Amino acid sequence: MMKKMRHLLLLLVSVLLFSCTGPDLNTDAGNLQDGNKPSVPFVPDVPAVPNIPDVPEPPASSEPEEIVVPDLGERVVTVSSPSMKIYFPATQQKRCRIVVACPGGGYSSIPGADGYEGAFYKDLFNDEGYALAVLYYRMPGGDRTRPISDITNAVTYLRTQADNLYIDPNMIGVMGFSAGGHLAATLATTGTGNTKANFQVLFYPVITMESGKTHNGSRNNFLGSNPSDALVNQYSLHKQVCADTPRTFLTYAEGDNVVPATYNGFAYYQALCDKKIPVTRYTYSGTRHGWHWGTVVFDGTTVNDGSKYENLDDIKSKLSAWLRSF
């Protein structure tokens, strides 16, 4: 009993001595000289933590996963909603690029869909390794959301079904003629995420919705007869070009007698240049609007779609070269 009490007493004295002589943990270390540093109580060694190497994040890549493309031959895929017919290249060894074509018609009809503003371009695109999707978009009748939702849904469908369709989700473009050019450019200037266009091809497009500068039939059908100034500005697409607007192929006749080039094609070209968007433009003399193909053999049938535009072969050659340039 006495021995235990002696041990406890010695332990208490040791604790008191240490508390009186130990280091002041509040001392400013910056005021201590090397020879006057307080002693530090013994701390046992702590085993080192094993070195675990950093796990690098996978590199960001815009390249889609490579997939094996079966020998499907020439394919024509019909989509019901939105209404779309897709023409694929006859031989395809990798994912192909694709363009969604929007025929013109003043937002009241699309008479060229199966011809000079749509399906006739199948061979040109297929020969360059692109698929062509002709969009049979709904007419707005004053409700612009109808055609806009159709082209938005078309691009979203193609991007989300890229693996099943064997297309490159990072190379989905839009093409438009006249009022269809306005619809294509609407998506090109506003689309994001799955609705984003990667390139655009515009033939004699309607661009502005400003009264006296546009095709009035297109404006009235798209926005209604008395649109607000805010709506007119929103859908005057030379005012909507931004840094994310995709590369562009643009062509029109300088004296276009339906859609004034100065306020439409040329205004859009200037806006693209101002934002430093890559743009290739070809203009032609004359007043022609609506560039027909004349007599054409299409899918084994001879078709005459009207008087052939005299510069059509030249512009087709230039478009093919542009499609190979990127």
Side-chain angles (χ1 to χ4, degrees), residues 25-57:
L25 300 180
N26 294 321
T27 302
D28 184 356
N31 294 329
L32 295 175
Q33 302 298 319
D34 287 344
N36 194 31
K37 291 182 180 178
S39 60
V40 179
F42 171 75
V43 178
D45 290 337
V46 177
V49 177
N51 182 30
I52 301 175
D54 293 336
V55 178
E57 294 187 9

Side-chain angles (χ1 to χ4, degrees), residues 131-171:
L132 172 69
V134 179
L135 179 64
Y136 298 83
Y137 59 91
R138 292 171 296 165
M139 298 303 105
D143 181 2
R144 63 194 177 279
T145 64
R146 292 174 183 166
I148 290 175
S149 65
D150 284 349
I151 191 171
T152 298
N153 290 338
V155 172
T156 300
Y157 171 84
L158 294 172
R159 189 158 276 128
T160 56
Q161 294 297 314
D163 286 353
N164 296 328
L165 295 171
Y166 307 108
I167 61 176
D168 183 346
N170 298 320
M171 274 297 166

Side-chain angles (χ1 to χ4, degrees), residues 6 34 65 72-73 77 80 90 97 106 115 160 173-174 191 206 241-242 250 267 270 272 278 281 289 296-297 316 324:
R6 266 199 302 268
D34 287 344
E65 180 186 354
L72 298 171
V77 176
S80 59
R97 299 175 177 188
T160 56
V174 289
V206 173
V241 173
C242 63
L250 172 64
Q270 281 192 313
L272 292 166
R281 179 184 65 144
H289 183 91
V296 180
V297 178
K316 286 164 59 180
R324 294 192 298 268

